[in-house]
Amino acid sequence: MKKFGFLMFLVVIMIAFPKMADASSYSARIYLDGQQINLSSGVKVENNNGTVMVPIRVISENLGFNVNWNKAAKTVTVEDAWQKVTMVIGSQYADINGQRVLMTKAPVLRGGTTLVPIRFVSEQMGLQVRWDNTQKAVYLTSSYDGSNPGEESGVATSTVDGLSFSENRLMVAVTGNAKPKVSKLSSPDRIVIDMANTNFSETFSSNADFDDVTKSGQMTVSGYPDVKAVRYSLYNSNPMTVRIVIDLNYAKNYTVSGLENGSGLFIVDLNTTSNPAPEPGTGGKKLVVIDAGHGDHDPGAIGVTKKREKDFNLAMALKVEKLLAKEKNIEVVLTRSNDTFLELKDRAKIANDLKADVFISIHANSGPSTASGTETYYYNESDKALANALHKEIVKAMGLKDRGVRYGNFHVIRETKMPGALLEVGFLSNKTDESKLFDPATQDRVAEAIVRGIKNYLKVD
């Protein structure tokens, strides 16, 4: 029996079932995608004033969910990688990932079996339900088969290569002919993105927040009041389907863009009310992409006092973003705004697909303990003017040795199609440099210096 994520199953319960006698029992059959679920001997499906109630343990165990029964509290908890739902016998309120939700009928206990309303379950799990009154059968069907004409079922023709959440936008880097289906659900509020015939790339699984066994993971989001977290998993294996869920704190509109004309970047933008927000770089402003190097399981260089390069890089990127957000002629996008990991090719892809005007990757250096100072790297001769503009300002702000502007064959500035620079602000392997790199006042000065360098290069006020 194939396993569905928990968001698919607790959605099953109330699609226009005919009213019958109160608490009538039937030897009804239950089908999941055409395959009959074998019920234990004596287990019945019940119709309670028009609400069809089904045994949660039987169905859940057939779908592979974890079910726990607390006899003292009279609670049943069903969970998987996606959801945790707690229901109380006799209460119409369920707890879904910490959010209180009203059900149409309270769960009941019949001879040791917990029965729940099937429509409520279906609305949480993404299944469709049909009741055949003549045959006394419940038919559960996947709400999205995701197949595209000409594509073989169960075969992934696209891959998800990376995820990033920045500027209240979810950015998904993909390879292949992905066709995302986006929907908004409630109880709890969330935005669901399904991509059929899609799998996670081999490099995506290197993300420490991705469990290669369950094929699922979660990205923590902070600093954005609309969003709790972003979850993702290989939701179905036939067809191969990647599901990404944006857990919201309240209902929120969104716009969708990307993947047009071969673009490898898909964007779900929450910066909208009734009027869609313009895509990055389309409002007449100069678009700057700031890349915080390393992240998550890749700490980068380790300092004298064990401080991590990835933490410095992210702190600086966030400070630069905050300053650039105040500039009326500049728009900024971060490749990562939290402790997540993106492959180098995905960082470059974000900038290329957005057609950015400038790409800047922030790093800290490492070497012998005597090595000290600031370096800035470029790849193409056409990038040198940007590197010089940034380097001049950063050296003054850091007050360390000027190690010059240098050629560097780094992937992120080699593969980006716009002027790019890679900053090595100071040496973590040097005690004096490390102290300055993690000094908040120095970081503020360097962030201001980077912004001045960007504005001088772009010639904007």
Side-chain angles (χ1 to χ4, degrees), residues 68-331:
N68 293 298
W69 165 250
N70 186 320
K71 184 177 181 180
K74 294 187 176 180
T75 60
V76 59
T77 301
V78 185
E79 61 183 321
D80 69 353
W82 289 98
Q83 289 274 64
K84 180 177 181 180
V85 175
T86 301
M87 293 168 283
V88 182
I89 299 299
S91 173
Q92 283 187 245
Y93 287 96
D95 184 285
I96 303 176
N97 290 343
Q99 183 170 340
R100 197 179 188 216
V101 177
L102 181 66
M103 297 183 289
T104 55
K105 292 287 183 181
V108 295
L109 196 61
R110 299 278 191 251
T113 299
T114 302
L115 302 179
V116 297
I118 194 169
R119 181 180 295 250
F120 173 77
V121 174
S122 69
E123 286 174 350
Q124 298 306 312
M125 300 305 294
L127 298 183
Q128 293 180 343
V129 180
R130 180 173 64 86
W131 167 256
D132 189 315
N133 192 41
T134 302
Q135 299 184 21
K136 299 296 185 290
V138 178
Y139 291 92
L140 312 181
T141 309
S142 301
S143 63
Y144 176 52
D145 70 13
S147 60
N148 295 314
E151 293 180 335
E152 183 180 349
S153 177
V155 176
T157 58
S158 306
T159 58
V160 172
D161 305 321
L163 297 174
S164 178
F165 193 90
S166 177
E167 292 298 302
N168 225 24
R169 297 181 179 103
L170 175 70
M171 294 179 285
V172 185
V174 300
T175 298
N177 188 30
K179 292 180 172 61
K181 177 185 177 183
V182 185
S183 57
K184 183 166 63 173
L185 300 177
S186 60
S187 299
D189 294 308
R190 59 204 187 276
I191 296 170
V192 178
I193 304 113
D194 281 332
M195 288 182 277
N197 300 104
T198 302
N199 199 351
F200 293 102
S201 67
E202 291 183 7
T203 54
F204 187 93
S205 63
S206 63
N207 190 322
D209 289 331
F210 184 77
D211 188 322
D212 204 37
V213 176
T214 63
K215 301 294 182 184
S216 63
Q218 178 167 311
M219 176 193 301
T220 302
V221 176
S222 59
Y224 297 96
D226 296 337
V227 179
K228 291 180 182 177
V230 175
R231 297 175 287 127
Y232 43 88
S233 87
L234 187 62
Y235 168 68
N236 201 352
S237 58
N238 188 21
M240 199 79 74
T241 303
V242 167
R243 169 169 283 187
I244 303 169
V245 177
I246 305 174
D247 286 320
L248 301 171
N249 288 310
Y250 37 76
K252 191 76 175 67
N253 290 330
Y254 62 90
T255 57
V256 175
S257 62
L259 302 185
E260 300 93 355
N261 302 317
S263 165
L265 190 67
F266 173 66
I267 301 172
V268 178
D269 192 343
L270 302 180
N271 296 303
T272 182
T273 52
S274 57
N275 297 317
E279 290 185 44
T282 60
K285 299 180 180 182
K286 297 293 186 180
L287 178 60
V288 176
V289 172
I290 302 295
D291 173 48
H294 306 283
D296 197 46
H297 65 280
D298 175 14
I302 303 298
V304 176
T305 63
K306 306 304 180 185
K307 290 184 171 65
R308 302 174 299 186
E309 181 191 353
K310 69 171 185 176
D311 298 328
F312 167 77
N313 300 341
L314 180 58
M316 286 305 311
L318 292 173
K319 288 176 182 286
V320 172
E321 176 199 31
K322 186 175 181 180
L323 293 174
L324 286 176
K326 300 176 182 177
E327 297 293 329
K328 62 180 180 180
N329 295 315
I330 295 176
E331 187 171 6

Side-chain angles (χ1 to χ4, degrees), residues 246-437:
I246 305 174
D247 286 320
L248 301 171
N249 288 310
Y250 37 76
K252 191 76 175 67
N253 290 330
Y254 62 90
T255 57
V256 175
S257 62
L259 302 185
E260 300 93 355
N261 302 317
S263 165
L265 190 67
F266 173 66
I267 301 172
V268 178
D269 192 343
L270 302 180
N271 296 303
T272 182
T273 52
S274 57
N275 297 317
E279 290 185 44
T282 60
K285 299 180 180 182
K286 297 293 186 180
L287 178 60
V288 176
V289 172
I290 302 295
D291 173 48
H294 306 283
D296 197 46
H297 65 280
D298 175 14
I302 303 298
V304 176
T305 63
K306 306 304 180 185
K307 290 184 171 65
R308 302 174 299 186
E309 181 191 353
K310 69 171 185 176
D311 298 328
F312 167 77
N313 300 341
L314 180 58
M316 286 305 311
L318 292 173
K319 288 176 182 286
V320 172
E321 176 199 31
K322 186 175 181 180
L323 293 174
L324 286 176
K326 300 176 182 177
E327 297 293 329
K328 62 180 180 180
N329 295 315
I330 295 176
E331 187 171 6
V332 60
V333 169
L334 301 185
T335 59
R336 69 180 182 98
S337 59
N338 47 32
D339 189 21
T340 54
F341 176 78
L342 286 174
E343 293 292 335
L344 298 178
K345 64 184 180 64
D346 295 324
R347 298 168 192 259
K349 177 183 281 189
I350 288 172
N352 290 337
D353 289 342
L354 291 175
K355 297 180 173 58
D357 295 285
V358 165
F359 175 87
I360 297 168
S361 190
I362 299 176
H363 292 261
N365 219 333
S366 184
S369 60
T370 54
S372 172
T374 301
E375 301 171 345
T376 303
Y377 288 88
Y378 67 93
Y379 179 75
N380 294 304
E381 280 297 319
S382 57
D383 303 338
K384 201 169 183 179
L386 171 63
N388 282 324
L390 291 165
H391 185 78
K392 176 183 175 181
E393 299 294 336
I394 296 170
V395 167
K396 288 190 292 185
M398 279 298 292
L400 296 174
K401 179 181 178 180
D402 182 351
R403 295 174 63 93
V405 174
R406 306 180 178 193
Y407 165 83
N409 187 15
F410 296 104
H411 183 102
V412 289
I413 55 175
R414 183 183 72 237
E415 299 303 321
T416 42
K417 298 176 182 178
M418 70 292 304
L422 188 143
L423 314 178
E424 295 282 7
V425 182
F427 280 79
L428 283 171
S429 51
N430 181 287
K431 189 174 182 179
T432 300
D433 283 23
E434 184 199 50
S435 177
K436 284 197 167 191
L437 288 170

